[in-house]
Amino acid sequence: MARLNQILILLIAICGIATSNAAASTYAIAILPATDLTQGHKGVDLEVTSQLIKQLQRQGLEVIAADKVLDFMVQQGLRRSDKIDSFTARKMAADLQCDALLLTTLYRNELTLNQSNMILTLLHGKNGQPVWSEVTSTHLDDSQPLFGIKRNRYLADIQAQQIQTIAQQLVEELPVLPQVKPHNSPPIKIALLQLSQPLIQGEAPIHCRLKVNFLGAAPDRLLLSGGKQPITLHHSKNSDIYTGSFISKVTAGDHKLDVSAHWGDQQKKTVENVATYKVVTQPAQLTLSFHSGTELDDV
């Protein structure tokens, strides 16, 4: 009977390992360049990024090629991974066909020069929300051998060990991504809208330049309303830039602009109040005042 129990325990353990490895092998992750706050607001550490990729691949995870991740960031004008919002995370996951995104931040200061600190966050690719996070820190003086023999003297050495440990931990704690309902927010994001004349007299032309991102296919039509008549924005040479000119309204005051995207005749998404222009019909009231004074030489 004891022998039978041992066999059953062994079979359960083997099934658990097989299930874990199967889950890991089907879990596609995009690893973004590690942000290094030590180097300022534009700092990245590609060496740490490369080590994370290799360690997670060794653990059985499917990792998106680094050049594809960098290409996406260049196209979107992203300098650092900590600037990614939920919309951009969803778009990256859709474009790169991955399940999750891993963000890494490194930080040190004058008090922790011999210390490696990391913050790792795993984002769900369907909604851009965190599903796992870990803060890890290690110091050069931690776990040193007896009498300092073969002592680690370089931060890069303990950082490599730290990355190996955190990669193993991530795979062990790899969360099951919850099912996500269709996102309620519009599948478009207005990144920038520039107006040639935000202050103008009534019924005058205003040129606009719109930078917009889409989840999935671009719409068939992009309309701008808020002027005298709605206009169709035209796609420029750049994939995410649309331009057009409209005639302002006659009435004085602030007027809001809305952008609506149309996919065929069935689907329509509108983003309201993306910009405002002001119409003035009366000349500005100027006041001229005279003040007496004394020159310094007269004192």
Side-chain angles (χ1 to χ4, degrees), residues 53-276:
I53 292 174
K54 292 178 181 178
Q55 289 297 334
L56 289 175
Q57 286 176 332
R58 289 173 183 171
Q59 298 297 322
L61 287 179
E62 179 185 351
V63 179
I64 303 300
D67 57 345
K68 292 184 178 180
V69 176
L70 291 175
D71 287 344
F72 177 89
M73 294 183 68
V74 170
Q75 292 173 5
Q76 300 298 316
L78 298 172
R79 295 181 178 272
R80 289 199 330 194
S81 59
D82 61 341
K83 302 299 182 182
I84 289 182
D85 55 15
S86 60
F87 180 94
T88 308
R90 292 162 57 206
K91 180 173 177 59
M92 175 179 281
D95 289 2
L96 301 182
Q97 298 181 353
C98 62
D99 302 293
L101 288 76
L102 182 64
L103 312 182
T104 307
T105 301
L106 313 176
Y107 63 98
R108 284 185 295 165
N109 54 39
E110 294 181 357
L111 300 178
T112 60
L113 291 179
N114 294 326
Q115 184 171 308
S116 175
N117 309 297
M118 293 186 186
I119 303 174
L120 295 96
T121 304
L122 192 68
L123 302 181
H124 195 323
K126 295 297 184 182
N127 59 12
Q129 299 302 312
V131 292
W132 177 89
S133 63
E134 183 66 25
V135 179
T136 176
S137 178
T138 184
H139 195 278
L140 272 175
D141 294 336
D142 293 342
S143 302
Q144 291 293 355
L146 187 64
F147 303 122
I149 300 175
K150 293 184 179 180
R151 173 186 175 91
N152 288 325
R153 298 184 181 277
Y154 302 102
L155 192 64
D157 295 334
I158 65 167
Q159 197 171 61
Q161 299 173 6
Q162 184 184 22
I163 292 172
Q164 181 179 359
T165 301
I166 197 66
Q168 294 173 351
Q169 181 180 345
L170 172 58
V171 173
E172 291 173 0
E173 301 176 359
L174 193 66
V176 176
L177 298 179
Q179 294 294 324
V180 176
K181 296 180 180 179
H183 214 275
N184 294 327
S185 64
I188 67 173
K189 176 187 175 184
I190 307 299
L192 176 68
L193 194 149
Q194 294 177 326
L195 300 178
S196 59
Q197 301 182 70
L199 179 63
I200 198 170
Q201 291 183 341
E203 288 194 306
I206 301 177
H207 181 75
C208 69
R209 182 176 181 270
L210 176 69
K211 182 177 182 181
V212 58
N213 292 322
F214 306 102
L215 281 177
D220 301 319
R221 289 186 302 156
L222 201 62
L223 300 182
L224 180 72
S225 57
K228 187 176 181 180
Q229 297 289 341
I231 64 166
T232 299
L233 296 174
H234 301 288
H235 196 190
S236 66
K237 295 180 180 180
N238 295 329
S239 59
D240 55 355
I241 300 296
Y242 289 76
T243 60
S245 297
F246 65 94
I247 303 299
S248 66
K249 291 184 177 181
V250 180
T251 55
D254 295 331
H255 300 282
K256 299 177 181 179
L257 295 174
D258 302 332
V259 174
S260 58
H262 298 256
W263 289 266
D265 297 328
Q266 303 297 325
Q267 187 179 7
K268 172 186 175 182
K269 295 294 181 181
T270 301
V271 181
E272 299 180 346
N273 194 18
V274 295
T276 303

